[in-house]
């Protein structure tokens, strides 16, 4: 059981450790690791691209689990966590698409190459951004929580289907896909970045859930105490005539 | 002593930032007829809608015939009949078709021969094939009454039953309440028309600003209302 | 089962009484097909090449109209709530509505086929299979579309929300339907059509069950 002071500082701790790992990993990946034989310098992008991919899926999976937990149990903290998971997942997915474009332009000469994984990410990004929009348009907290939980489950269930459909669709046109995970001996920067982004993400989700929870608490505040205006607040209706 | 038909404990309901009901605790005996009185915005409709399970309480709980509103929602719906504010009708369809849809979902007889007398009782027989979109508010109310008459249930909730009706419609409601009372049904009537309803009620509950202000005989509550004509209810907002 | 029959009967009555709306949507679909061809230009070859895409895009856009309207009668005077208070099964209500939306979209799709044939010189003799693809694709749009329509009718900004939520979700349906239709029109030398049909069947199986399960949570007060 963590003391209250530690649990308050925990997200900050995660973010600091994560940032440190990411900086070290990126340094090693950019300056120390040798360039990849066939791709050259641009391959170094994989050191952030792959960890971002893992973590964005992780964030959205967390959102999915939180959605299930809310629908089954009804505890408000799960709604806060789901909101955080979706937002962080969407940001990471967006970064993933940007990284993908940065990689594609020097490699294929186009900004977008319809790679199945990246295309699925783009669709996911739009689907979950839509859920964020949905939350903005619903005022009642209960309804907002239930509807976005339902939408999250439906969008998440679609992920494998979208992936396979884009893969089949693309398989006739594209002969190469994005290169596999860094195959060189330097897994160290990759792992450091993976954990770096993971810790950043965890700290971020914790902070964001906290904000969402605080907002929920103000929305769900109990009714004001009875004033002297109304008396006899509790009674039994008698059977007299 | 027989257990109460309706038991509400600390029922509160908010809409956005406004609390429409605050800490309502009631106990309604079996077979009684109770008036729920109060100004516009005092929470009468909200209370009936919560008891009918159309909306959920934000806080608190209640049981009807022993069934919890939230945990045994379907059972409560099988015990409670609501004549609400909203007509619950499909505008593009006719009065008869609307009743037939309700009858089909209730899995009872739905052919015209069976439903026609019901429509006649509420004065809509001549207009039964006309689309509800062409109905006046009073006629829609009559259709809602017909809908309520499809079932005979232990508890009947009437939300402003006299609203939009003419003199003949008033008599219709008076007879309805009387019939329900005589058949041993438990009835809650939310109404402004305290002087008309109080004499036929066993007791009355006065709501002010979403809270229970007083509970007593119909005449006592009626007196209290007429002695405080200008008092505005408190605003329950953050 | 009785509940489902009651729901279907209700939908039948509503669809029949609101049939003029269908005509408006059909005109919209036809106009869309025309506009798409302006985007490509009068090249007969290109038009034929992309005809399947145009058909399904037109159907997708038309679906936003039919779907968002489909719950209007239910919420106007709280009719849906009224039925729920009569102990009506939310699942039956969903399937009734989803089936009605499905048939509407399928009929619209089949009506757009002759337009496609005329405008793009794109047709097929295998009408049976084409009908099958249209049925499967429309079903894929209808199940999640009906669920989302139930949500957005009660929220603000419904016209924007429905496509926003629905379009990313139905990407697989769009891909598979366009591919399958295209292969039917242009020829399928490598026999890929069955995989696309399989994808559509899979999507439908998952979403018709999932949405039916979740509908109750969407329409009940929380």
């Amino acid at each position: 059981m963590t003391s209250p002071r530690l649990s308050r500082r925990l997200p900050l701790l995660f973010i600091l450790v994560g940032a440190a790992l990411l900086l070290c990993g990126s340094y090693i990946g950019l300056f120390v690791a040798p360039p990849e034989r066939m791709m050259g310098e641009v391959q170094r992008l994989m050191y952030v691209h792959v960890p971002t991919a893992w973590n964005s899926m992780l964030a959205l999976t967390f959102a999915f689990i939180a959605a299930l937990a809310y629908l089954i149990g009804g505890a408000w903290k799960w709604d806060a966590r789901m909101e955080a998971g979706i937002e962080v997942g969407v940001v990471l997915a967006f970064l993933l698409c940007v990284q993908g474009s940065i990689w594609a332009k020097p490699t294929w000469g186009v900004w977008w190459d319809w790679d199945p994984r990246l295309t699925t990410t783009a669709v996911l990004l739009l689907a979950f951004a839509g859920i964020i929009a949905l939350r903005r348009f619903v005022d009642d907290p209960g309804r907002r929580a239930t509807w976005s939980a339902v939408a999250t489950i439906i969008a998440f269930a679609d992920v494998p289907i979208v992936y396979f459909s884009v893969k089949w669709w693309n398989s006739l046109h594209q002969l190469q896909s994005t290169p596999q995970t860094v195959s060189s001996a330097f897994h160290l920067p990759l792992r450091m970045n993976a954990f770096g982004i993971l810790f950043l993400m965890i700290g971020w989700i914790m902070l964001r859930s906290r904000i969402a929870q605080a907002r929920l608490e103000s929305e769900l505040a109990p009714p004001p105490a009875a004033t002297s205006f109304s008396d006899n607040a509790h009674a039994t209706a008698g059977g007299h005539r | 002593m027989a257990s109460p038909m309706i038991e509400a404990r600390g029922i509160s309901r908010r809409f956005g930032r406004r609390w429409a009901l605050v800490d309502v605790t009631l106990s309604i005996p079996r077979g009684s007829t109770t008036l729920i009185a109060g100004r516009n915005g005092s929470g009468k409709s909200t209370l009936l809608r919560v008891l009918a399970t159309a909306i959920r309480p934000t806080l608190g709980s209640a049981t009807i015939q022993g069934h919890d509103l939230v945990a045994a929602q379907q059972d409560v719906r099988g015990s409670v009949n609501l004549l609400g504010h909203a007509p619950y009708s499909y505008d593009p369809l006719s009065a008869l078709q609307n009743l037939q849809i309700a009858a089909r979902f209730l899995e009872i007889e739905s052919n015209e021969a069976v439903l026609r007398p019901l429509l006649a009782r509420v004065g809509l027989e001549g207009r039964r094939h006309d689309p509800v979109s062409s109905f006046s508010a009073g006629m829609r109310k009559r259709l809602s009454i017909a809908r309520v008459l499809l079932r005979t249930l232990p508890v009947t909730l009437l939300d402003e039953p006299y609203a939009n009706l003419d003199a003949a419609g008033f008599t219709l409601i008076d007879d309805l309440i009387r019939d329900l009372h005589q058949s041993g049904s438990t009835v809650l009537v939310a109404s402004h028309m305290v002087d008309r309803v109080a004499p036929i009620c066993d007791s009355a509950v006065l709501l002010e600003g979403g809270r229970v202000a007083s509970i007593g005989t119909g005449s006592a509550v009626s007196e209290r209302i007429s002695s405080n004509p200008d008092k505005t209810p408190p605003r329950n907002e953050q | 089962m009785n509940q489902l029959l009651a729901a279907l009967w209700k939908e039948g009555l509503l669809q029949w009484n609101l049939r003029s709306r269908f005509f408006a949507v059909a005109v919209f679909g036809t106009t869309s097909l025309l506009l798409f061809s302006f985007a490509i230009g009068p090249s007969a070859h290109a038009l034929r090449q992309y005809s399947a895409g145009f058909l399904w895009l037109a159907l997708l856009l038309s679906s936003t109209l039919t779907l968002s309207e489909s719950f209007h009668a239910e919420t106007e005077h709280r009719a849906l709530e009224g039925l729920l208070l009569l102990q009506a099964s939310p699942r039956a209500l969903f399937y009734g509505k989803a089936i009605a939306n499905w048939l509407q979209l399928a009929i619209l799709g089949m009506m757009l086929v002759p337009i496609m044939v005329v405008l793009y010189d794109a047709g097929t003799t295998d009408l049976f299979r084409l009908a099958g693809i249209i049925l499967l694709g429309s079903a894929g749009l209808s199940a999640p579309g009906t669920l989302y329509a139930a949500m957005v009718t009660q929220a603000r900004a419904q016209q924007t929300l429905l496509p926003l939520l629905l379009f990313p979700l139905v990407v697989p349906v769009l891909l598979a339907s366009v591919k399958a239709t295209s292969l039917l029109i242009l020829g399928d030398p490598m026999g890929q059509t069955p995989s696309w049909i399989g994808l559509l069947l899979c999507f439908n199986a998952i979403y018709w069950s999932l949405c039916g399960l979740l509908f109750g949570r969407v329409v009940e007060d929380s």
Side-chain angles (χ1 to χ4, degrees):
Chain A
M1 178 86 160
T2 49
S3 69
R5 271 188 71 196
L6 182 60
S7 67
R8 260 214 319 271
R9 300 257 170 86
L10 210 53
L12 222 54
L13 207 63
F14 270 109
I15 289 176
L16 283 171
V17 172
L21 279 172
L22 186 61
L23 278 169
C24 288
S26 302
Y27 177 80
I28 298 175
L30 279 172
F31 301 112
V32 180
E36 227 266 349
R37 239 180 308 264
M38 283 185 285
M39 297 286 163
E41 298 294 335
V42 86
Q43 180 62 8
R44 296 186 193 273
L45 193 70
M46 291 303 123
Y47 290 121
V48 263
H49 191 64
V50 174
T52 309
W54 291 343
N55 284 297
S56 79
M57 266 324 291
L58 205 59
L60 293 176
T61 308
F62 174 72
F64 170 69
I65 294 171
L68 277 176
Y70 177 79
L71 284 180
I72 294 172
W76 288 106
K77 64 181 178 192
W78 289 112
D79 177 54
R81 288 169 185 171
M82 180 183 70
E83 181 176 323
I86 294 177
E87 280 196 14
V88 172
V90 161
V91 171
L92 286 173
F94 176 71
L95 286 174
L96 200 63
C97 291
V98 167
Q99 290 163 0
S101 291
I102 294 175
W103 183 86
K105 187 67 174 167
T107 314
W108 299 119
V110 287
W111 287 111
W112 194 259
D113 69 336
W114 298 105
D115 167 64
R117 285 171 295 186
L118 213 53
T119 309
T120 305
T121 307
V123 172
L124 261 189
L125 170 62
L126 292 171
F128 281 93
I131 298 178
I132 294 177
L134 173 67
R135 288 182 72 90
R136 294 267 180 279
F137 281 115
V138 183
D139 298 318
D140 176 59
R143 199 170 257 195
R144 182 174 63 220
T146 304
W147 286 2
S148 45
V150 167
T152 301
I153 290 173
I154 291 189
F156 194 78
D158 209 19
V159 173
I161 309 178
V162 172
Y163 177 68
F164 281 115
S165 61
V166 176
K167 195 163 178 221
W168 287 351
W169 174 74
N170 207 12
S171 61
L172 299 169
H173 301 276
Q174 197 188 57
L175 301 168
Q176 302 101 325
S177 60
T178 49
Q180 298 308 308
T181 311
V182 174
S183 55
S184 74
F186 267 73
H187 286 292
L188 180 65
L190 189 69
R191 283 211 189 101
M192 286 184 83
N193 279 353
F195 279 103
I197 297 185
L198 178 67
F199 286 171
L200 273 174
M201 184 188 81
I202 293 176
W204 197 351
I205 288 183
M206 286 171 88
L207 275 180
R208 185 64 185 80
S209 319
R210 216 170 268 182
I211 297 173
Q213 184 80 22
R215 189 183 74 171
L216 273 174
E217 270 159 24
S218 88
E219 281 178 330
L220 299 169
T227 61
S228 58
F229 178 77
S230 55
D231 46 305
N232 228 3
H234 304 269
T236 304
H240 16 260
R241 243 198 193 277
Chain B
M1 191 175 88
S3 60
M5 181 60 99
I6 302 176
E7 282 245 60
R9 286 174 294 276
I11 295 279
S12 305
R13 168 74 198 198
R14 67 182 295 165
F15 294 106
R17 289 191 165 280
R18 189 181 70 88
W19 286 93
L21 284 178
V22 182
D23 202 23
V24 170
T25 296
L26 293 172
S27 191
I28 309 285
R30 218 167 272 266
S32 63
T33 302
T34 309
L35 166 67
I36 313 282
R39 257 167 267 278
N40 289 332
S42 56
K44 306 190 296 297
S45 269
T46 310
L47 178 60
L48 291 195
R49 280 169 63 71
V50 168
L51 291 176
T53 74
I55 54 180
R56 290 189 171 193
T58 312
L59 297 169
S61 65
T63 57
I64 297 189
Q65 245 187 343
H67 302 300
D68 183 80
L69 285 189
V70 174
Q73 191 186 65
Q74 286 294 83
D75 294 317
V76 172
R77 288 175 176 176
S79 314
V80 176
N81 223 340
L82 173 69
L83 178 70
H85 259 306
Y88 292 153
S89 59
Y90 290 100
D91 258 17
L93 304 181
S94 73
L96 178 63
Q97 285 169 333
N98 267 282
L99 262 196
Q100 284 178 313
I101 289 174
R104 282 189 179 220
F105 275 100
L106 287 170
E107 299 182 34
I108 60 178
E109 280 296 329
S110 65
N111 49 44
E112 187 173 345
V114 170
L115 296 176
R116 205 167 148 166
L118 206 56
L119 287 165
R121 185 170 162 192
V122 298
L124 286 179
E125 192 183 359
R127 297 286 299 264
R128 69 187 184 280
H129 292 303
D130 293 345
V132 172
S133 53
S134 68
F135 280 16
S136 66
M139 290 166 70
R140 287 170 199 262
K141 193 48 164 273
R142 286 165 181 267
L143 180 59
S144 301
I145 297 170
R147 219 168 164 279
V148 164
L149 292 173
L150 282 173
R151 301 192 285 176
T152 317
L153 295 179
V155 177
T156 307
L157 308 176
L158 307 173
D159 191 357
E160 298 292 351
Y162 297 98
N164 298 314
L165 289 174
D166 52 19
F170 276 27
T171 317
L172 192 60
I173 296 291
D174 292 337
D175 292 342
L176 176 66
I177 297 176
R178 205 157 280 131
D179 291 344
L180 287 169
H181 186 78
Q182 272 162 10
S183 67
S185 214
T186 307
V187 182
L188 257 63
V189 184
S191 183
H192 288 128
M193 305 190 51
V194 181
D195 297 331
R196 191 178 186 103
V197 183
I200 50 178
C201 289
D202 300 313
S203 62
V205 173
L206 176 64
L207 291 181
E208 271 166 1
R211 298 172 204 266
V212 176
S214 74
I215 295 183
T217 60
S219 42
V221 166
S222 173
E223 251 185 65
R224 184 183 162 134
I225 290 178
S226 44
S227 70
N228 293 319
D230 296 322
K231 224 170 200 168
T232 29
R235 287 163 63 87
N236 296 314
E237 287 186 25
Q238 274 86 20
Chain C
M1 191 56 194
N2 284 332
Q3 295 277 303
L4 180 61
L5 289 174
L8 287 169
W9 191 73
K10 164 183 69 107
E11 295 303 328
L13 283 179
L14 281 172
Q15 289 293 339
W16 178 250
N17 279 281
L18 294 168
R19 57 195 182 275
S20 53
R21 259 189 355 207
F22 180 77
F23 177 70
V25 178
V27 172
F28 175 81
T30 309
T31 313
S32 306
L33 282 182
L34 196 64
L35 290 178
F36 292 148
S37 52
F38 292 150
I40 298 287
S43 152
H45 175 74
L47 287 176
R48 192 153 186 276
Q49 201 78 14
Y50 300 124
S51 53
F54 295 155
L55 176 70
W56 282 99
L57 276 179
L59 206 51
L60 185 65
L61 292 174
S62 307
S63 77
T64 55
L65 295 182
T66 53
L67 288 169
S68 56
E69 273 298 303
S70 68
F71 272 90
H72 181 70
E74 304 286 350
T75 49
E76 198 180 12
H77 295 291
R78 293 217 174 118
L80 187 65
E81 177 185 297
L83 288 179
L84 288 170
L85 291 185
L86 296 181
Q87 294 182 296
S89 150
R91 216 170 285 190
L93 290 170
F94 171 75
Y95 286 119
K97 188 71 74 177
I99 289 173
N101 284 333
W102 171 36
L103 290 176
Q104 224 191 11
L105 284 174
I107 292 172
L108 180 64
M110 303 212 220
M111 275 179 63
L112 290 177
V113 168
I115 316 263
M116 182 178 77
V117 171
V118 167
L119 282 179
Y120 310 139
D121 184 32
T124 174
T125 47
D126 197 348
L127 290 174
F128 185 67
R129 211 172 270 191
L130 182 62
I133 297 171
I134 291 180
L135 279 170
L136 282 175
S138 312
L141 293 178
S142 174
T146 304
L147 184 72
Y148 282 141
M151 272 189 217
V152 305
T153 328
Q154 303 170 68
R156 297 182 276 131
Q158 19 172 304
Q159 304 291 5
T160 348
L161 269 182
L162 183 60
L164 191 64
L165 289 170
L166 188 63
F167 286 5
L169 191 75
V170 295
V171 160
V173 175
L174 195 64
L175 283 179
S177 307
V178 169
K179 269 318 256 201
T181 310
S182 188
L183 290 168
L184 208 57
I185 293 172
L186 300 173
D188 184 15
M190 292 193 279
Q192 292 160 354
T193 316
S195 343
W196 292 113
I197 306 260
L199 185 71
L200 282 172
L201 282 168
C202 185
F203 187 91
N204 279 314
I206 294 174
Y207 279 93
W208 277 82
S209 16
L210 197 56
C211 294
L213 270 173
L214 294 170
F215 185 73
R217 299 301 298 259
V218 168
V219 291
E220 293 283 2
D221 185 57
S222 10

